[in-house]
Amino acid sequence: MAAFQTTRWSLILAARAPTDQARGALDELCRAYRPAVLSYLRGRGLSPDLAEDYTQGFFTRFLEKRVHAVADPERGRFRVLIRTSLDHYLADMRDHERAGKRGGGLNAADYDVALAETAADGSPEHEFELAWALTVLDRAMEALRVETRANGKAVMFAQVREFLTEAPDPNDYARVAAALGMRSNTLAVAIRRLRQRLRELVRAELAETVADPADVRDELLALRSVLGGSGD
């Protein structure tokens, strides 16, 4: 339990005062999960340029207003807080557009049309969840790449990386094993171990975004649901 308290989101929620350590942890999380916010805004019908502007504006306000300071430390999940705060931000921006207080970008009528078209064509919520899940997976994969490089297995990792999320067929095993000068069954064992380590790193990444270790399980289920996976 003590180790868990050093994770980023736990540190942020525990530090109600704006300490340098907590601010650095929050900045890192915001940078890491920026693609999810951008995907959500694009899914809401905003143009690429306006989505970029809104993403920057959202995180600026999120940090300046210290939105995390009012998050419930008993139930706090960074993913949920970001989504909720983003909806509030969009509502405020739409109100500003309607009042004519914001220059440039979409006017209120165009904004509402964009939202209506998005509702008919797809789910921005799904785009957010998908981008979030892919970010978690990418960060875990990068951590695994660094580990394998440190262990002198960078070449093997580069060859088998695609098999860590998609099961290879026997021909793939034979081809890669030959390229690496390994037996197919030895390679299969190595891939299984890498997959297990990747799962551990995904869990570790998710733990950085929740306040309660019990929430990691739910976040993992949400990630696997959006990616179309299953299991524990």
Side-chain angles (χ1 to χ4, degrees):
M1 185 67 174
F4 185 85
Q5 295 304 316
T6 65
T7 61
R8 287 192 292 269
W9 191 231
S10 294
L11 170 66
I12 293 162
L13 290 179
R16 297 304 181 176
T19 66
D20 290 342
Q21 188 180 14
R23 174 60 185 247
L26 183 58
D27 286 347
E28 183 179 352
L29 281 178
C30 288
R31 287 195 303 272
Y33 293 98
R34 184 180 183 279
V37 171
L38 186 59
S39 292
Y40 183 73
L41 293 173
R42 292 287 289 117
R44 297 295 282 181
L46 302 185
S47 68
D49 287 344
L50 192 57
E52 288 282 355
D53 289 345
Y54 272 35
T55 298
Q56 181 62 37
F58 167 72
F59 279 118
T60 296
R61 187 166 83 167
F62 187 88
L63 294 170
E64 289 179 349
K65 289 185 174 294
R66 290 178 42 78
V67 174
H68 66 282
V70 298
D72 184 348
E74 297 301 321
R75 296 179 298 171
R77 300 185 196 183
F78 186 62
R79 174 176 62 89
V80 175
L81 180 61
I82 287 290
R83 266 288 317 278
T84 301
S85 301
L86 188 53
D87 285 338
H88 290 320
Y89 176 76
L90 282 175
D92 287 347
M93 295 307 291
R94 180 167 53 182
D95 289 344
H96 281 235
E97 293 285 355
R98 284 175 171 160
K101 295 178 181 178
R102 185 176 189 276
L106 293 176
N107 61 39
D110 290 338
Y111 191 97
D112 288 338
V113 168
L115 295 186
E117 291 174 347
T118 300
D121 295 340
S123 167
E125 290 79 12
H126 176 75
E127 294 301 316
F128 175 90
E129 298 294 341
L130 178 59
W132 187 281
L134 291 175
T135 297
V136 170
L137 185 59
D138 286 347
R139 287 172 65 82
M141 190 73 78
E142 174 60 15
L144 183 59
R145 184 191 68 80
V146 171
E147 285 187 3
T148 55
R149 182 179 62 185
N151 293 330
K153 298 180 179 179
V155 173
M156 184 183 73
F157 178 80
Q159 290 282 346
V160 306
R161 177 172 180 154
E162 64 183 291
F163 304 143
L164 301 183
T165 54
E166 295 289 339
D169 62 35
N171 290 333
D172 291 326
Y173 275 119
R175 171 177 56 81
V176 175
L180 293 172
M182 300 173 63
R183 297 178 59 177
S184 293
N185 61 341
T186 302
L187 178 64
V189 170
I191 290 175
R192 282 198 298 272
R193 289 174 177 168
L194 287 173
R195 284 179 182 161
Q196 175 59 37
R197 182 56 182 154
L198 180 61
R199 286 193 291 269
E200 293 171 355
L201 290 169
V202 165
R203 286 178 176 272
E205 179 61 30
L206 290 172
E208 297 284 3
T209 68
V210 299
D212 186 338
D215 288 337
V216 172
R217 165 77 175 178
D218 289 339
E219 290 295 278
L220 183 60
L221 290 175
L223 179 146
R224 289 181 171 177
S225 175
V226 75
L227 291 179
S230 61
D232 68 2

